[in-house]
Amino acid sequence: MILVLKSNPEKEKVDNLIKMLNDKGLATNISEGSSHTVIGLIGDTSRLPVDLISAIDIVESVTRISEPFKAANRKIHPESTIVKVTENVSIGEGFFHVIAGPCSVESEEQVIEVAKDVKASGATLLRGGAFKPRTSPYAFQGLHADGLKLLLEAKKATGLPVVTEIMNVNHLDLFEDVDVIQVGARNMQNFDLLKELGKCRKPILLKRGLANTMEEFLMSAEYIMAGGNSNVILCERGIRTFETKTRNTLDLSAIPMLKKLSHLPIIVDPSHATGISWMVEPMSKAAVAVGADGLMIEVHNDPPKALCDGAQSLDPKQFDSLMKEIKRRVEFEGKQG
Amino acid sequence: MILVLKSNPEKEKVDNLIKMLNDKGLATNISEGSSHTVIGLIGDTSRLPVDLISAIDIVESVTRISEPFKAANRKIHPESTIVKVTENVSIGEGFFHVIAGPCSVESEEQVIEVAKDVKASGATLLRGGAFKPRTSPYAFQGLHADGLKLLLEAKKATGLPVVTEIMNVNHLDLFEDVDVIQVGARNMQNFDLLKELGKCRKPILLKRGLANTMEEFLMSAEYIMAGGNSNVILCERGIRTFETKTRNTLDLSAIPMLKKLSHLPIIVDPSHATGISWMVEPMSKAAVAVGADGLMIEVHNDPPKALCDGAQSLDPKQFDSLMKEIKRRVEFEGKQG
Amino acid sequence: MILVLKSNPEKEKVDNLIKMLNDKGLATNISEGSSHTVIGLIGDTSRLPVDLISAIDIVESVTRISEPFKAANRKIHPESTIVKVTENVSIGEGFFHVIAGPCSVESEEQVIEVAKDVKASGATLLRGGAFKPRTSPYAFQGLHADGLKLLLEAKKATGLPVVTEIMNVNHLDLFEDVDVIQVGARNMQNFDLLKELGKCRKPILLKRGLANTMEEFLMSAEYIMAGGNSNVILCERGIRTFETKTRNTLDLSAIPMLKKLSHLPIIVDPSHATGISWMVEPMSKAAVAVGADGLMIEVHNDPPKALCDGAQSLDPKQFDSLMKEIKRRVEFEGKQG
Amino acid sequence: MILVLKSNPEKEKVDNLIKMLNDKGLATNISEGSSHTVIGLIGDTSRLPVDLISAIDIVESVTRISEPFKAANRKIHPESTIVKVTENVSIGEGFFHVIAGPCSVESEEQVIEVAKDVKASGATLLRGGAFKPRTSPYAFQGLHADGLKLLLEAKKATGLPVVTEIMNVNHLDLFEDVDVIQVGARNMQNFDLLKELGKCRKPILLKRGLANTMEEFLMSAEYIMAGGNSNVILCERGIRTFETKTRNTLDLSAIPMLKKLSHLPIIVDPSHATGISWMVEPMSKAAVAVGADGLMIEVHNDPPKALCDGAQSLDPKQFDSLMKEIKRRVEFEGKQG
């Protein structure tokens, strides 16, 4: 960490600051510039809050050199993490998995039909929402515990491991047979939920918040990992920008950058990112090429009648055609489907 | 709600669509334009999801005319809501209250000292965090239940009603003696938390999420109000933009716009918005002038030693000088302090 | 265009409004909803400014149904435009071209050396800046007319057509032998420059402004096309968001969306979008897969000594390795290199 | 400037880097941290491009300590600049001026009528556009030279100095009798135009680009000042964010921040920032309170018939009522109107 002091600080204040830093176990290196004095801190600064230091009256600016995340940091853990979901499904470097299914579980018939269809087309995990975060309190909120039960029946019927979203720490018991627990974009900084998920050992699919930086994203992964659960799968699903033609702006540059910063696997959700079903295919192709470890795609047996997010869902036929494209490309990249 | 159909839709599909809409109790008015057919819906469309309709293949675009919020809507409830916190403290039109105190409660001595100071300067509510949402799992997370106890002692010592943040529905019991429960920006769309708060009757201070639109903000208020709790106080605390000189961009235009759209009171938090202590004064002056119903300001007895957010805290002397300025201006606006 | 009127408008004002619209040659269709009256306009509304209509006191909102661009609109011109740069170089559907070269022309030796290198690796157009838009007046501003001359010598030496940026309408004469004139992101809405370029018949490479919507981007293309020059190549080069790990956020979803809205070719500039040389390769792969018609890449013989933008430049060896990757992928997509 | 090197750099490369920096006249101070080596540069680094240094392979990050602007920098020129427009009109610290008039000059009658009205209400400068930057090539583009003539007649009729926008360096001759030349938001980084304006001595009203940081804004002012023209007036007019209820987001925190960073006067344009006429009053009040040196407000004799931006224009009666409010507040702030 580097502190730049304001011009002409009082010597006594500088001495006090250095003493305070030394008391925290940090060595200091002082450099007198033409207009500013610079203090370099030597030692572990990860627990030293930038804002505390910034508040000191003689300090002009503070720059952190080492990243504030550790467990998620590739510099510290150079090897790519492979998250093992089941015997046959491992997510991470070298693999490419497609998670597919309806936005929300609506009925036994619907979810089992979609599950069979997406399996036949090559999806290896089934998604389906039982607890739905909706902007409006008047919109359909999901079938809750009943929805989870139906999703687990679809798992039984097809053998596909399931991914579904948790919205409340108190529901954790209901997720016992769920294979991957999803944390939605709006809950990316619901720190109490993250801490609780850090205590279990299930894979967690963590979605990037729609206005969160990559660093904040990794800090949220760090919350889960700091609790002891290192089975974290990141998911880029679009960020909020000024553009209105697409629902969000899919930030594909986040894929290589997050892979550089962290060893965690990362997948892409083109359905939520664009909000438009015909855009799922081109953005999926780009996600494969840019190096993502998988995709999460909404598929509904009858999109116009979907109880949520119909506009971005593919029907099973469209999904089948998409999967043919994806398989060719995954092969081209030399990855295992 | 207005539907614009794609060019040359099949007559049968249009008839099906109209039948479906009529079945939902909506009358339709059809207008054939030179290039497009437009269907106007007559009736209550608040439960008709835009995305469901958008997904229908012959529909090109959907425009909602009536706002999707009702309980929070000024058109439906024209009179301004006054939230009564205590016998002496009412927040809303005609009043101006300043909520002040430390970012986090650190010790009995600290919180009581600050509470006495801010009361002496004219603050009418005390803030102080016991549960702190921090980006890093390694940063100080607050004193939790102990912090709440200390805050309540400061309430006893000064008579000031207290405002403090909740992060977890399971902590609600601990908030029994808290006067105003705060929902932080990161939890603005933690819908399960909002629903739970809708069941109690305490005033809720709801902060705008850092990348949420005004409409989403009001929809989150609507979640609380739909549960029966209409004591909602909105708080603008800066939105995330590309600018880096300030921590966030304080959106003061949200104050008159939210007052036009809604009857709820709205206050401003210049401390979190700017992240810089010397900016609190000019932004507070602007907040008074633009029509806010109050301010929320961080005050710490020793900002450089604050365990969080020191850089934006005022010390008691600076706060006292700020309050002198604010009082003159509140008087100028003809409001009660 | 659809007008929604405010609740309970005065009948006389509605009649006046309808008369005014009819006088402009537009037919109207009026629909009385439960809470609002809606007027649908029938006829050519492309010259009717939304803001004029919005300003009328009884009007609540105005929605445009047809896009405001015409010459650039795929609905009106369904066939994809192929811009012919030379006998051998055509940019558009079915082709994939890589434009490469230094950010700025620095010396004869430098530009010729780089030109030969990028040609050997497979680039089909040479880029190089002579007029450089720099944030700081104290930064290197380019070699101006001398730089153009050197660039044209590199053209002669290699046979590569050249692309270079114009910043000032008065320099147009100097660009006589330039093959493609580039309009930079900061000048995307320099309308006087666009109008002037509309009068010539040279291909124009128009970069998206860093905070411009896709619609504004197409409206700027429309400025050039309205003057009679339909040889416009669009270029996505990253938009400004809150993220700081990359210089800009490359909006790859703009590629399929712009191809849907418009018939113009579109290429991607991963160098400026990311600002980081090692990110050029993954983002280039994604650009090929998402359907771009080409790439624009910075290559410098000695990046650390580049007079501008060194951090994002590839050296010739890195570029050669990138081109091998790109060729395989262009072939996979079934396009001509 | 501070350079952080990558872990374990080769000694030879570090020596080369230091030699290169010393050759540029900079002294270096080297600090070996636990994980990184840090080099502090001592001397004038304002001409050392950050990107050049960033591109060096052993450099991890570069932090600039001194601001890159000099002529506009308050640290170097602590005294506030007062821009003298005429004998009676000086813009800057201690004064508060309101510039008012129509978005575009439409006819002699219109501009003279509005000029007389706004003068009677207390405006001290007249605005009116002759060259209009419009998103669409099909929208009204202004009356050009004829518009300027009419504006100057309004000047003669009322004695008000005039402010009008330039879009093209070639039009400069036409602006001889204009008192203040405006550079619009879209041209904030039209560097050739800025350089040309740096050669004249007329006051320049420079509007902030809708996605430009405060630092970029000051660098554009620096372009004008570097040419020798220090009569620059800054104007905040809203930035582009994700919010759609207002046209732009007025960044009032820019006022105190720009005044801290720079000695230049700064005014606020609430009409363009919000795009909504009823919001002009509350945002104007806030602008006075936050410390702006003036306002720029659109006034039209018949807003619904305005040829551009009617939705945000006040009519003369509304403007008169606004001015009464503003005068009380300017007096309250102890400024001269």
Side-chain angles (χ1 to χ4, degrees):
Chain A
M1 194 178 286
I2 294 171
L3 317 188
V4 177
L5 305 190
K6 286 179 186 155
S7 300
N8 308 316
E10 288 171 46
K11 201 189 160 309
E12 198 197 323
K13 290 189 170 180
V14 179
D15 292 346
N16 285 346
L17 173 59
I18 289 167
K19 192 177 170 311
M20 186 267 265
L21 293 165
N22 293 345
D23 288 354
K24 288 181 183 293
L26 298 164
T28 50
N29 180 303
I30 294 147
S31 150
E32 306 276 349
S34 53
S35 65
H36 288 88
T37 300
V38 174
I39 301 180
L41 300 188
I42 303 160
D44 177 11
T45 58
S46 72
R47 273 166 178 77
L48 194 64
V50 166
D51 47 16
L52 189 152
I53 303 298
S54 307
I56 297 169
D57 58 351
I58 57 167
V59 173
E60 175 145 325
S61 71
V62 178
T63 307
R64 194 184 269 289
I65 296 172
S66 350
E67 287 96 0
F69 46 92
K70 297 169 154 239
N73 199 328
R74 192 181 280 275
K75 279 188 195 152
I76 299 171
H77 307 274
E79 211 171 320
S80 294
T81 286
I82 309 282
V83 175
K84 192 168 180 175
V85 177
T86 65
E87 273 312 309
N88 306 314
V89 177
S90 291
I91 296 181
E93 208 60 40
F95 298 95
F96 194 93
H97 286 281
V98 178
I99 306 169
C103 178
S104 55
V105 175
E106 293 167 21
S107 71
E108 187 174 345
E109 198 191 350
Q110 171 240 20
V111 68
I112 291 185
E113 188 186 322
V114 174
K116 287 182 176 168
D117 282 342
V118 300
K119 189 185 178 184
S121 299
T124 41
L125 295 101
L126 175 66
R127 61 150 291 159
F131 297 93
K132 300 298 308 169
R134 305 298 306 276
T135 306
S136 166
Y138 310 123
F140 174 61
Q141 310 268 326
L143 295 180
H144 295 181
D146 290 343
L148 278 186
K149 266 184 226 155
L150 299 180
L151 186 66
L152 293 171
E153 299 208 3
K155 174 183 173 174
K156 214 179 294 173
T158 57
L160 290 178
V162 293
V163 183
T164 193
E165 178 168 354
I166 194 165
M167 284 178 63
N168 189 324
V169 286
N170 297 335
H171 298 157
L172 203 48
D173 286 352
L174 298 170
F175 284 68
E176 208 184 316
D177 297 325
V178 166
D179 300 280
V180 179
I181 302 179
Q182 176 179 321
V183 177
R186 292 183 186 81
N187 278 315
M188 193 201 89
Q189 293 194 319
N190 182 338
F191 300 120
D192 273 41
L193 178 58
L194 300 179
K195 280 181 195 169
E196 212 56 47
L197 296 173
K199 293 180 193 158
C200 74
R201 291 298 170 269
K202 270 192 199 307
I204 307 299
L205 180 75
L206 178 67
K207 290 196 152 191
R208 181 178 181 185
L210 85 178
N212 287 110
T213 62
M214 298 186 215
E215 186 168 305
E216 289 169 342
F217 192 11
L218 290 176
M219 290 309 288
S220 286
E222 190 82 12
Y223 257 96
I224 299 169
M225 299 174 88
N229 185 356
S230 53
N231 296 310
V232 179
I233 302 158
L234 303 172
C235 179
E236 160 64 32
R237 43 77 75 211
I239 57 173
R240 184 161 271 184
T241 68
F242 58 83
E243 179 59 61
T244 55
K245 286 279 179 202
T246 46
R247 187 159 61 179
N248 294 118
T249 297
L250 182 61
D251 181 9
L252 285 178
S253 56
I255 312 305
M257 183 52 92
L258 286 167
K259 283 194 163 280
K260 178 107 175 176
L261 295 169
S262 175
H263 51 87
L264 295 172
I266 174 153
I267 67 167
V268 168
D269 176 346
S271 305
H272 282 86
T274 62
I276 300 170
S277 61
W278 70 261
M279 293 194 79
V280 171
E281 179 169 324
M283 301 324 291
S284 294
K285 291 176 182 177
V288 174
V290 89
D293 299 311
L295 287 165
M296 186 164 202
I297 290 172
E298 275 191 25
V299 180
H300 194 277
N301 49 340
D302 189 2
K305 292 220 178 106
L307 291 179
C308 75
D309 282 341
Q312 72 204 28
S313 288
L314 303 183
D315 65 31
K317 213 175 128 188
Q318 293 166 324
F319 179 70
D320 192 63
S321 136
L322 170 67
M323 283 304 287
K324 291 206 172 72
E325 262 301 330
I326 291 177
K327 276 180 212 162
R328 284 175 64 219
R329 290 166 189 271
V330 169
E331 215 168 279
F332 181 89
E333 304 294 342
K335 288 188 180 178
Q336 227 175 301
Chain B
M1 195 179 284
I2 294 170
L3 317 187
V4 177
L5 304 190
K6 286 180 185 155
S7 299
N8 307 316
E10 288 171 47
K11 199 188 162 311
E12 198 197 324
K13 288 189 172 180
V14 179
D15 292 345
N16 284 346
L17 173 60
I18 288 167
K19 193 178 168 312
M20 185 267 265
L21 293 166
N22 293 344
D23 288 354
K24 287 181 184 291
L26 297 165
T28 51
N29 181 303
I30 294 145
S31 150
E32 305 276 351
S34 52
S35 65
H36 289 88
T37 300
V38 175
I39 302 180
L41 301 188
I42 302 160
D44 177 12
T45 59
S46 70
R47 273 166 178 76
L48 195 65
V50 166
D51 46 16
L52 189 151
I53 303 298
S54 307
I56 296 168
D57 59 350
I58 57 167
V59 173
E60 174 147 324
S61 70
V62 179
T63 307
R64 195 183 270 288
I65 297 171
S66 351
E67 288 95 0
F69 46 92
K70 297 170 155 238
N73 198 327
R74 191 182 280 275
K75 278 187 195 151
I76 299 171
H77 307 274
E79 210 170 322
S80 295
T81 285
I82 310 282
V83 175
K84 192 168 178 174
V85 177
T86 65
E87 273 311 311
N88 305 313
V89 176
S90 292
I91 295 181
E93 207 62 38
F95 299 96
F96 195 92
H97 286 281
V98 178
I99 305 168
C103 179
S104 56
V105 175
E106 294 167 20
S107 71
E108 187 175 344
E109 198 192 348
Q110 171 238 21
V111 67
I112 291 185
E113 188 186 321
V114 174
K116 286 182 177 167
D117 282 342
V118 300
K119 187 184 178 186
S121 299
T124 42
L125 294 101
L126 175 67
R127 59 151 292 160
F131 298 94
K132 300 298 308 171
R134 305 298 306 275
T135 305
S136 166
Y138 309 123
F140 174 63
Q141 310 267 325
L143 294 179
H144 297 180
D146 290 343
L148 277 186
K149 266 184 228 153
L150 299 180
L151 186 66
L152 293 171
E153 298 209 3
K155 173 183 174 174
K156 214 181 294 171
T158 57
L160 290 177
V162 295
V163 183
T164 193
E165 180 168 353
I166 194 164
M167 285 177 64
N168 188 324
V169 287
N170 297 336
H171 298 158
L172 203 48
D173 286 351
L174 298 170
F175 285 68
E176 209 186 316
D177 296 326
V178 165
D179 300 279
V180 179
I181 302 179
Q182 177 180 321
V183 177
R186 292 184 185 81
N187 278 315
M188 193 202 89
Q189 292 193 319
N190 182 339
F191 300 121
D192 273 39
L193 178 59
L194 299 179
K195 280 181 195 168
E196 213 56 46
L197 296 173
K199 293 179 193 159
C200 75
R201 291 297 171 268
K202 270 193 200 303
I204 308 299
L205 180 74
L206 179 67
K207 289 195 153 189
R208 182 179 180 185
L210 84 178
N212 288 109
T213 61
M214 298 186 216
E215 186 168 304
E216 289 169 342
F217 192 13
L218 290 175
M219 289 310 286
S220 286
E222 190 82 11
Y223 257 95
I224 299 169
M225 298 175 89
N229 185 356
S230 53
N231 295 310
V232 179
I233 302 159
L234 304 172
C235 179
E236 159 65 31
R237 44 77 74 210
I239 58 174
R240 184 162 270 186
T241 68
F242 58 82
E243 179 59 62
T244 55
K245 287 277 178 204
T246 46
R247 186 159 63 181
N248 295 116
T249 297
L250 182 61
D251 180 9
L252 285 178
S253 56
I255 311 304
M257 183 52 92
L258 287 167
K259 283 194 163 278
K260 178 106 173 177
L261 296 169
S262 175
H263 50 88
L264 295 173
I266 175 154
I267 67 167
V268 169
D269 176 347
S271 304
H272 282 86
T274 62
I276 301 171
S277 61
W278 70 260
M279 293 193 79
V280 171
E281 179 169 323
M283 301 323 290
S284 294
K285 291 176 182 176
V288 175
V290 89
D293 299 312
L295 289 165
M296 187 164 201
I297 291 172
E298 274 190 27
V299 180
H300 194 277
N301 47 340
D302 189 3
K305 293 221 178 103
L307 291 178
C308 76
D309 282 342
Q312 72 204 27
S313 288
L314 302 184
D315 65 30
K317 212 174 129 187
Q318 292 167 323
F319 179 70
D320 192 62
S321 137
L322 170 67
M323 284 302 287
K324 290 205 172 74
E325 262 301 330
I326 291 177
K327 276 180 214 162
R328 283 175 64 217
R329 288 165 190 273
V330 168
E331 214 168 278
F332 181 88
E333 304 294 343
K335 288 187 179 178
Q336 226 175 302
Chain C
M1 195 178 285
I2 294 170
L3 317 188
V4 177
L5 304 189
K6 286 180 185 155
S7 300
N8 307 315
E10 287 172 47
K11 200 188 162 311
E12 199 197 323
K13 288 187 171 181
V14 179
D15 292 345
N16 285 346
L17 173 59
I18 289 167
K19 193 178 170 311
M20 185 268 266
L21 294 165
N22 293 345
D23 288 354
K24 288 180 183 290
L26 298 164
T28 51
N29 180 303
I30 294 146
S31 150
E32 304 276 351
S34 53
S35 65
H36 289 88
T37 299
V38 174
I39 302 179
L41 301 188
I42 303 161
D44 177 10
T45 59
S46 71
R47 275 168 177 75
L48 195 63
V50 166
D51 47 16
L52 189 151
I53 303 297
S54 306
I56 296 168
D57 59 351
I58 59 167
V59 173
E60 175 146 325
S61 71
V62 179
T63 306
R64 194 183 271 287
I65 296 172
S66 350
E67 287 96 0
F69 46 93
K70 297 171 156 237
N73 198 328
R74 192 181 280 275
K75 279 188 196 152
I76 299 171
H77 307 275
E79 211 170 321
S80 294
T81 286
I82 310 282
V83 175
K84 193 168 179 174
V85 178
T86 66
E87 272 311 311
N88 305 313
V89 176
S90 291
I91 296 181
E93 208 60 40
F95 299 96
F96 195 93
H97 286 282
V98 178
I99 305 168
C103 179
S104 55
V105 175
E106 295 166 21
S107 71
E108 186 174 345
E109 197 193 350
Q110 171 239 22
V111 68
I112 291 186
E113 187 186 322
V114 173
K116 287 182 176 167
D117 282 341
V118 300
K119 187 185 180 186
S121 299
T124 41
L125 295 102
L126 174 67
R127 58 150 292 159
F131 297 93
K132 300 298 308 171
R134 305 298 307 275
T135 306
S136 167
Y138 309 121
F140 174 62
Q141 312 267 325
L143 294 180
H144 297 178
D146 290 342
L148 277 185
K149 267 185 227 154
L150 298 180
L151 186 67
L152 293 171
E153 299 207 4
K155 174 183 173 174
K156 213 180 296 173
T158 58
L160 291 177
V162 294
V163 184
T164 193
E165 180 168 353
I166 193 165
M167 284 177 64
N168 189 323
V169 286
N170 297 335
H171 299 156
L172 204 48
D173 286 350
L174 298 169
F175 284 69
E176 208 185 317
D177 296 324
V178 165
D179 300 279
V180 179
I181 302 179
Q182 177 180 320
V183 177
R186 292 183 184 81
N187 278 316
M188 192 201 90
Q189 293 193 319
N190 182 339
F191 300 121
D192 272 40
L193 178 59
L194 300 179
K195 280 181 195 168
E196 213 56 45
L197 296 173
K199 293 180 194 158
C200 74
R201 291 298 170 268
K202 272 193 197 305
I204 308 298
L205 179 75
L206 179 66
K207 291 197 152 190
R208 181 179 181 185
L210 85 179
N212 286 109
T213 62
M214 299 187 215
E215 187 169 304
E216 289 169 342
F217 192 13
L218 290 175
M219 289 309 287
S220 286
E222 190 81 13
Y223 258 95
I224 299 168
M225 299 174 88
N229 184 356
S230 54
N231 295 310
V232 179
I233 303 159
L234 304 173
C235 178
E236 160 65 30
R237 42 80 73 213
I239 57 173
R240 184 161 269 185
T241 68
F242 58 83
E243 180 59 60
T244 55
K245 287 279 178 203
T246 45
R247 185 159 62 180
N248 293 118
T249 297
L250 181 61
D251 181 9
L252 285 178
S253 56
I255 312 305
M257 182 52 92
L258 286 167
K259 283 193 162 281
K260 179 106 174 177
L261 296 169
S262 175
H263 51 86
L264 295 173
I266 173 154
I267 67 167
V268 169
D269 176 346
S271 305
H272 282 86
T274 63
I276 300 170
S277 62
W278 69 261
M279 293 194 78
V280 171
E281 178 169 324
M283 301 324 290
S284 293
K285 292 176 180 176
V288 175
V290 89
D293 299 311
L295 287 166
M296 186 165 203
I297 291 172
E298 273 189 28
V299 180
H300 194 277
N301 48 342
D302 189 2
K305 294 220 179 104
L307 290 179
C308 76
D309 282 341
Q312 73 203 27
S313 286
L314 303 184
D315 64 31
K317 213 175 128 187
Q318 292 167 325
F319 179 69
D320 192 63
S321 138
L322 170 67
M323 283 303 288
K324 291 206 171 72
E325 262 301 329
I326 290 176
K327 277 180 212 161
R328 284 175 63 218
R329 289 165 189 272
V330 169
E331 214 169 276
F332 180 89
E333 304 294 342
K335 288 187 178 176
Q336 229 174 301
Chain D
M1 195 179 285
I2 293 171
L3 317 188
V4 177
L5 304 190
K6 286 180 185 154
S7 300
N8 308 317
E10 288 171 47
K11 201 188 162 310
E12 197 196 324
K13 288 188 170 180
V14 179
D15 292 345
N16 285 346
L17 173 59
I18 288 168
K19 192 176 171 313
M20 185 267 266
L21 293 166
N22 292 345
D23 288 354
K24 288 180 184 290
L26 298 165
T28 50
N29 179 303
I30 295 146
S31 148
E32 305 276 350
S34 52
S35 64
H36 289 88
T37 299
V38 174
I39 302 180
L41 301 187
I42 302 160
D44 177 11
T45 59
S46 71
R47 274 167 178 76
L48 194 64
V50 166
D51 46 15
L52 188 152
I53 302 298
S54 307
I56 296 168
D57 58 351
I58 58 167
V59 173
E60 175 146 325
S61 70
V62 179
T63 307
R64 194 183 269 286
I65 297 173
S66 350
E67 287 95 0
F69 45 91
K70 299 170 154 239
N73 199 327
R74 192 182 279 275
K75 279 188 195 153
I76 298 172
H77 306 275
E79 210 170 321
S80 294
T81 286
I82 309 282
V83 174
K84 192 166 178 175
V85 177
T86 65
E87 272 312 309
N88 306 313
V89 176
S90 292
I91 296 181
E93 208 61 37
F95 299 95
F96 194 93
H97 287 281
V98 178
I99 305 168
C103 179
S104 55
V105 175
E106 295 166 19
S107 71
E108 185 174 346
E109 197 192 350
Q110 172 239 21
V111 67
I112 291 186
E113 186 186 324
V114 174
K116 287 183 177 167
D117 282 342
V118 300
K119 187 185 180 186
S121 299
T124 41
L125 296 100
L126 175 67
R127 61 150 292 159
F131 298 92
K132 299 300 307 171
R134 305 298 307 275
T135 306
S136 166
Y138 309 123
F140 173 62
Q141 311 267 326
L143 295 180
H144 297 180
D146 290 343
L148 278 186
K149 267 184 227 154
L150 299 180
L151 186 66
L152 293 171
E153 299 208 2
K155 174 183 173 174
K156 212 180 297 172
T158 58
L160 290 178
V162 295
V163 183
T164 194
E165 179 167 353
I166 194 165
M167 284 178 64
N168 189 324
V169 287
N170 297 335
H171 298 157
L172 204 48
D173 286 351
L174 298 169
F175 284 68
E176 208 186 316
D177 297 325
V178 166
D179 300 279
V180 179
I181 302 180
Q182 177 180 319
V183 177
R186 293 182 185 81
N187 278 316
M188 193 202 89
Q189 293 194 317
N190 182 339
F191 300 121
D192 273 40
L193 179 58
L194 300 180
K195 281 181 196 168
E196 213 55 48
L197 296 174
K199 294 180 194 158
C200 75
R201 292 297 170 269
K202 270 193 199 303
I204 308 299
L205 180 74
L206 178 67
K207 289 196 153 191
R208 182 180 180 184
L210 86 177
N212 288 109
T213 61
M214 297 185 216
E215 186 168 304
E216 289 169 342
F217 192 13
L218 290 176
M219 289 309 287
S220 286
E222 190 81 11
Y223 258 95
I224 300 168
M225 298 173 88
N229 185 356
S230 54
N231 295 310
V232 179
I233 302 159
L234 305 172
C235 179
E236 159 65 31
R237 44 76 75 211
I239 57 173
R240 184 161 269 185
T241 67
F242 58 83
E243 179 59 62
T244 55
K245 287 279 178 202
T246 46
R247 186 160 62 180
N248 294 118
T249 297
L250 182 61
D251 181 9
L252 285 179
S253 56
I255 312 306
M257 183 52 92
L258 287 167
K259 284 194 162 277
K260 178 107 175 176
L261 296 169
S262 174
H263 50 88
L264 295 173
I266 174 154
I267 67 166
V268 169
D269 176 346
S271 305
H272 282 86
T274 62
I276 301 169
S277 62
W278 69 261
M279 292 194 79
V280 171
E281 178 168 325
M283 300 324 290
S284 293
K285 291 177 182 175
V288 175
V290 89
D293 299 311
L295 287 164
M296 187 164 202
I297 290 172
E298 274 190 27
V299 180
H300 193 276
N301 49 339
D302 189 3
K305 293 219 179 106
L307 291 178
C308 75
D309 282 340
Q312 71 205 25
S313 288
L314 303 184
D315 65 31
K317 212 175 129 188
Q318 292 166 324
F319 179 69
D320 192 63
S321 138
L322 170 67
M323 283 302 287
K324 291 207 171 71
E325 262 301 330
I326 290 177
K327 278 180 211 162
R328 281 176 64 217
R329 289 166 189 271
V330 168
E331 214 168 281
F332 182 88
E333 304 294 342
K335 289 187 178 176
Q336 228 173 301

